[in-house]
């Protein structure tokens, strides 16, 4: 239950902040798939049960529909591919230690051991959000393409920032589709 709460709160805050490190996007695909044959799509039923609030679910699925249309796909009751969407969040802690002082005492211009040093530890907690968009060949029921985006979530994002951040994340991932087939 704790993980679901973290996912819901974190993703609800905003998927990707503009001031954090860049969105890390990766993708993978089935080298035997004929991506030219896919013209229609349907959202996988599981995509309707995302562990995010209703506003962010509408933003996310709406942006996926926009990007699919930009890739010349038509939404259909039973598409050539199913688009499956998953989100997750993981709380991370980063500790940094700082040492001050010289470690040596002084007496009459001579150094000796036993000086003063202090070490301070700063622990920062943040949440990494992951968005996974998968294309599943509906006829074969096989995964043919998957794009993943990871970035630190912004807990204090405004409504406008949330919309922009989710849009940027989906666009960044979808930019990897269709895959560039390398010639052998």
């Amino acid at each position: 239950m704790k993980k679901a709460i973290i996912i819901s709160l974190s993703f609800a805050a905003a998927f990707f902040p503009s001031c954090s490190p860049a969105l890390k996007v990766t993708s993978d695909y089935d080298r035997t798939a004929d991506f030219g044959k896919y013209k229609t799509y349907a959202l996988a039923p599981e995509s309707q049960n995302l562990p995010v609030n209703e506003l962010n679910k509408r933003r996310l699925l709406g942006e996926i529909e926009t990007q699919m249309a930009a890739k010349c796909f038509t939404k259909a009751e039973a598409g050539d591919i199913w688009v499956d969407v998953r989100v997750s969040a993981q709380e991370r802690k980063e500790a940094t230690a700082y040492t001050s002082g010289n470690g040596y005492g002084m007496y009459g211009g001579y150094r000796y051991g036993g000086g003063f040093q202090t070490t301070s530890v700063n622990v920062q907690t943040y949440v990494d959000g992951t968005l996974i968009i998968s294309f599943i060949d509906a006829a074969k029921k096989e995964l043919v393409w998957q794009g993943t985006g990871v970035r630190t979530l912004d807990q204090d994002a405004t409504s406008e920032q949330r919309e922009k951040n989710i849009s940027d994340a989906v666009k960044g991932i979808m930019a990897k589709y269709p895959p560039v087939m390398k010639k052998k």
Side-chain angles (χ1 to χ4, degrees), residues 68-87:
M68 293 300 287
K71 301 273 182 191
C72 299
F73 280 92
T74 303
K75 190 172 183 180
E77 192 70 31
D80 301 327
I81 60 170
W82 296 329
V83 177
D84 184 46
V85 182
R86 303 292 169 118
V87 296

Side-chain angles (χ1 to χ4, degrees), residues 3 10-11 20 23 38 41 53 56 68 78 95 111 117 131 133 141 146 149 159-160 163 168 176 180:
K3 186 173 182 179
S10 299
F11 200 93
S20 75
L23 171 67
Y38 303 123
Y41 77 97
N53 72 27
N56 283 328
M68 293 300 287
R111 288 186 176 188
Q117 278 188 329
L131 172 61
I133 302 172
K141 296 182 178 39
Q146 187 171 69
S159 179
E160 292 81 15
E163 191 168 316
D168 290 347
K176 297 281 189 174
V180 177

Side-chain angles (χ1 to χ4, degrees), residues 1-15 51-53 87-93 125-130 153 155:
M1 184 67 177
K2 184 178 178 183
K3 186 173 182 179
I5 290 170
I6 290 172
I7 292 170
S8 189
L9 292 175
S10 299
F11 200 93
F15 191 52
V52 298
N53 72 27
V87 296
S88 67
Q90 184 170 6
E91 186 176 78
R92 301 210 184 263
K93 293 183 187 250
T125 302
Y126 59 96
V127 179
D128 277 345
T130 302
L153 300 175
Q155 302 284 351

Side-chain angles (χ1 to χ4, degrees), residues 5 23 26 30 38 66 84 89 94 118 128-129 144 154 156 159-160 178:
I5 290 170
L23 171 67
T26 58
D30 179 350
Y38 303 123
T66 298
D84 184 46
E94 186 175 288
T118 59
D128 277 345
V144 292
D154 183 357
D156 300 317
S159 179
E160 292 81 15

Side-chain angles (χ1 to χ4, degrees), residues 17-129:
S18 57
C19 60
S20 75
L23 171 67
K24 295 176 189 168
V25 176
T26 58
S27 66
D28 197 6
Y29 63 94
D30 179 350
R31 294 180 55 86
T32 64
D34 178 8
F35 293 99
K37 75 177 184 178
Y38 303 123
K39 304 291 182 206
T40 62
Y41 77 97
L43 289 172
E46 295 83 7
S47 297
Q48 297 299 324
N49 300 321
L50 296 172
V52 298
N53 72 27
E54 190 62 33
L55 292 171
N56 283 328
K57 181 173 21 174
R58 284 195 308 247
R59 289 175 180 128
L60 181 57
L61 297 179
E63 186 59 37
I64 287 172
E65 290 181 7
T66 298
Q67 292 304 311
M68 293 300 287
K71 301 273 182 191
C72 299
F73 280 92
T74 303
K75 190 172 183 180
E77 192 70 31
D80 301 327
I81 60 170
W82 296 329
V83 177
D84 184 46
V85 182
R86 303 292 169 118
V87 296
S88 67
Q90 184 170 6
E91 186 176 78
R92 301 210 184 263
K93 293 183 187 250
E94 186 175 288
T96 307
Y98 300 96
T99 302
S100 60
N102 62 13
Y104 294 104
M106 294 292 285
Y107 180 76
Y110 296 99
R111 288 186 176 188
Y112 62 92
F116 297 100
Q117 278 188 329
T118 59
T119 301
S120 301
V121 178
N122 181 24
V123 178
Q124 183 177 2
T125 302
Y126 59 96
V127 179
D128 277 345

